[in-house]
């Protein structure tokens, strides 16, 4: 059975980072306002430490929502493939406090995706060291490992990556879960 590695944030669920950033700053930013992954660049340097403390003090997955089609797509894939969720939980500059993020993300996965076995959840910040037959992520840098089939899931921060760049790196793009499932079953 083929092994599929699927990232959680921005592939299975939308993160709440922007929600809490807007709450902290009193702003109304939308994801479409950003082209890069690091949306916290808009936070003034003198407020960043306070923001990170504010952010990590919440269960950041309490308000997280599944991306359209991810629940059905994942459930279908688990019938025909060996599906592993792999995800980062270490927050830059808050490494010691990041244990709470592991717990919050794990509880979210177990509550929202009960058909995923606990032993099929991998927490790592070094995703290119985990090898499967198919790897799906929203960050191109996470797809640079030895896996043969690499799929970039479209998110706010990767829309400007060209098809030529993806082709050079041997990466396929999936814009939504229907496309993703169709791509996987066509391989």
């Amino acid at each position: 059975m083929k092994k599929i590695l699927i990232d959680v944030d921005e592939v299975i669920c939308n993160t709440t980072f922007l929600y809490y950033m807007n709450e902290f700053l009193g702003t109304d930013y939308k994801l479409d306002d950003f082209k890069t992954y690091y949306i916290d660049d808009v936070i003034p340097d003198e407020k960043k430490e306070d923001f990170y403390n504010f952010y990590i003090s919440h269960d950041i997955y309490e308000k997280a929502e599944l991306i359209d089609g991810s629940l059905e797509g994942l459930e279908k894939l688990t019938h025909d493939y060996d599906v592993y969720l792999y995800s980062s939980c270490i927050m830059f500059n808050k490494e010691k406090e990041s244990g709470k993020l592991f717990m919050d993300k794990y509880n979210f996965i177990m509550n929202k995706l009960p058909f995923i076995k606990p032993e099929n959840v991998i927490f790592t910040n070094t995703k290119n060291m985990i090898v499967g037959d198919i790897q799906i992520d929203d960050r191109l840098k996470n797809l640079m490992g030895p896996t043969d089939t690499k799929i970039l899931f479209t998110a706010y921060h990767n829309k400007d990556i060209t098809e030529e760049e993806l082709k050079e790196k041997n990466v396929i793009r999936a814009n939504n879960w229907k496309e993703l499932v169709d791509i996987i079953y066509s391989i």
Side-chain angles (χ1 to χ4, degrees):
M1 189 175 296
K2 286 187 176 180
K3 183 185 344 177
I4 302 177
L5 305 168
I6 305 175
D7 181 33
V8 176
D9 300 317
E10 306 301 337
V11 176
I12 294 172
C13 70
N14 292 311
T15 64
T16 58
F17 195 86
L18 182 62
Y19 171 85
Y20 287 110
M21 193 175 81
N22 278 330
E23 185 176 313
F24 178 81
L25 294 173
T27 54
D28 190 27
Y29 287 113
K30 309 279 186 272
L31 284 177
D32 289 339
D33 295 331
F34 301 93
K35 298 261 187 218
T36 66
Y37 181 77
Y38 296 102
I39 64 176
D40 56 339
D41 285 346
V42 300
I43 300 172
D45 287 341
E46 65 274 8
K47 291 185 177 186
K48 281 191 178 178
E49 181 68 20
D50 289 339
F51 167 70
Y52 297 141
N53 289 331
F54 170 79
Y55 179 69
I56 208 161
S57 72
H58 292 84
D59 175 349
I60 61 171
Y61 288 91
E62 182 179 37
K63 296 181 185 315
E65 296 179 8
L66 293 171
I67 291 175
D68 288 342
S70 64
L71 179 67
E72 301 81 7
L74 274 168
E75 192 162 19
K76 178 177 177 151
L77 291 173
T78 60
H79 294 294
D80 299 312
Y81 298 90
D82 200 7
V83 174
Y84 290 83
L85 304 186
Y86 77 137
S87 191
S88 172
C89 288
I90 298 175
M91 188 171 165
F92 178 68
N93 288 335
K94 288 291 173 192
E95 292 86 355
K96 289 182 181 177
E97 296 88 346
S98 291
K100 181 182 175 316
L101 298 178
F102 282 78
M103 182 182 70
D104 294 344
K105 188 179 287 194
Y106 179 79
N107 289 337
F108 173 83
I109 292 167
M110 292 297 104
N111 289 327
K112 298 287 185 174
L113 308 169
F115 49 86
I116 298 293
K117 295 181 253 176
E119 60 268 23
N120 285 33
V121 178
I122 303 165
F123 292 119
T124 182
N125 274 28
T126 312
K127 294 180 177 180
N128 60 358
M129 296 201 51
I130 301 170
V131 180
D133 298 296
I134 301 169
Q135 185 178 8
I136 302 146
D137 208 294
D138 63 303
R139 296 189 74 192
L140 195 54
K141 77 173 200 153
N142 292 334
L143 295 171
M144 295 299 105
T147 299
D148 289 333
T149 302
K150 302 166 188 178
I151 303 172
L152 181 71
F153 194 83
T154 301
Y156 70 92
H157 58 86
N158 67 28
K159 291 179 182 177
D160 290 340
I161 297 174
T162 66
E163 291 304 314
E164 292 82 28
E165 185 177 353
L166 293 177
K167 189 173 183 178
E168 285 174 16
K169 296 181 186 293
N170 197 29
V171 174
I172 303 164
R173 181 185 292 275
N175 292 303
N176 56 55
W177 268 87
K178 182 184 179 333
E179 276 185 29
L180 180 59
V181 170
D182 288 348
I183 290 167
I184 291 169
Y185 278 99
S186 71
I187 296 172

